[in-house]
Amino acid sequence: QNFSGYDVKQKSFRSVLVADRDMGESYVDENRVTFSFYELRHNVEGEIGRPLYYFKRTKVSQSRQKYCDVGDALKTDLGLENYRDRSH
C-alpha cells in the first residue's frame, strides 16, 4: 500500500488525514485513494479499553480519479501541498 499522512492543527484540537492506495499488480498501477480523517478525542467518561486521548475516524472519502502517488491525490483532490517540502 501507498499512504501518506498530514497532521493538521485546527483551533484547540488536532486532526490527522491519512491517504491510502492499494498498489494493485505493481507499484506503478493507478488506483483510487482513500482519505481517512481523524480527530483527537478525550475519553472524559473513562470508557474501559479506550485511552484517555485517542484518534477517532470521523470521515472517509475516495479520490475522484485514480493515482499512482497519494501525494498527487492530496494535492489535486484536496488542495494540500507536499508536506515534505519545507522550502516555503
Side-chain angles (χ1 to χ4, degrees):
Q1 291 187 342
N2 181 345
F3 68 92
S4 185
Y6 277 80
D7 185 17
V8 183
K9 175 106 170 119
Q10 295 180 347
K11 299 182 182 175
S12 62
F13 62 91
R14 296 189 66 79
S15 60
V16 174
L17 165 60
V18 176
D20 187 24
R21 174 189 67 87
D22 287 332
M23 285 195 293
E25 293 294 318
S26 75
Y27 186 74
V28 296
D29 285 349
E30 292 184 343
N31 277 315
R32 293 200 186 278
V33 174
T34 300
F35 303 113
S36 298
F37 299 83
Y38 296 84
E39 290 182 3
L40 183 62
R41 298 289 171 95
H42 183 198
N43 182 8
V44 293
E45 293 84 24
E47 185 180 338
I48 295 173
R50 191 175 295 275
L52 183 60
Y53 293 97
Y54 63 97
F55 283 98
K56 179 177 180 168
R57 187 167 60 184
T58 57
K59 180 181 174 183
V60 176
S61 64
Q62 278 204 322
S63 62
R64 293 184 292 264
Q65 59 188 35
K66 294 180 178 183
Y67 295 92
C68 179
D69 186 324
V70 297
D72 293 339
L74 289 164
K75 184 175 182 178
T76 303
D77 283 30
L78 301 180
L80 297 173
E81 294 297 323
N82 186 348
Y83 70 97
R84 291 183 188 109
D85 182 6
R86 305 279 186 203
S87 62
H88 302 338

